[in-house]
Amino acid sequence: KSFATPPFLRYRAFLLQTNMKIISVLILRWYDDSKKEPIVLSASYEVSSIGFFQRGTVKEVAGMVSREVVKRTHMGDAQTVTHMGYNCHVKVNGKGLACAAMSDSEYPQRVAFSLLNASLDAFMKEHEATYSSYSTDQALPVPAIDALLAKYQDPQTADPMLKIQKDLDETKEVLVKSIDQLLERGEKLETLAQKSDHLSFQSKAFMSSAESMNKCCRYM
């Protein structure tokens, strides 16, 4: 008797088989109010190696996790949050603009933050005069970020080491924590996902399946 592979295992196995290192780069407007959701101003994804029917779910989940981590990052801070083999790297600048990138756990943290810095600079060159006027999610075009996302797929050639060092002197000791450490006591990522207005039914089912499977694996 054969059994169907759970959706979570199919997605995760497919992701782990690809050579993709950076999944997404999002620019968000950050608020100094924990009750206000950060809004997405621009989003770039590299999901070409993922099956067509799974791409939407991967984008939605990456966006939801990025939004939750940005919401819990203070102005001027940077942090990396781990969850189920993937990292969400976030930086919030002094102007209330945040950049979040999702990568696999092997991607070098310092190179990821070089990408965040470059992406923030690229966005500001295009939209510095207008971004603060938006109060809902946008899809502002930033071709330079799309180019950066493609360039940074290979961390070894993405940036000269001296430039990485220069860009990241202020973030030498970026805190790394798990998603459970980031969330407030009693909060669960799958619960936040079910309440989210930014996830489809399919993506919410995926998040629930992923969390349940992860809990089971702890006992295996």
Side-chain angles (χ1 to χ4, degrees), residues 33-52:
D33 182 349
S34 60
K35 295 181 180 180
K36 295 189 70 172
E37 290 285 327
I39 62 170
V40 175
L41 298 172
S42 179
S44 297
Y45 300 94
E46 175 43 71
V47 293
S48 60
S49 297
I50 298 174
F52 179 80

Side-chain angles (χ1 to χ4, degrees), residues 34 37 64-73 79-84 88 175-195 207 211 215 218:
S34 60
E37 290 285 327
M64 181 263 180
V65 173
S66 296
R67 199 187 300 258
E68 292 296 334
V69 176
V70 167
K71 183 178 180 180
R72 292 162 174 80
T73 304
Q79 64 177 333
T80 295
V81 175
T82 67
H83 183 59
M84 297 178 66
C88 182
L175 182 64
V176 178
K177 60 176 69 172
S178 70
I179 194 71
D180 291 334
Q181 291 173 312
L182 181 71
L183 298 176
E184 296 179 7
R185 182 172 297 180
E187 283 187 320
K188 294 294 182 182
L189 187 62
E190 68 269 25
T191 302
L192 295 175
Q194 296 306 315
K195 295 179 180 179
M207 292 291 287
E211 189 64 27
K215 288 177 180 177
R218 295 174 187 171

Side-chain angles (χ1 to χ4, degrees), residues 18 27 107 124 143 160 183 192 207:
T18 69
I27 302 294
Y107 197 90
M124 291 296 279
L183 298 176
L192 295 175
M207 292 291 287

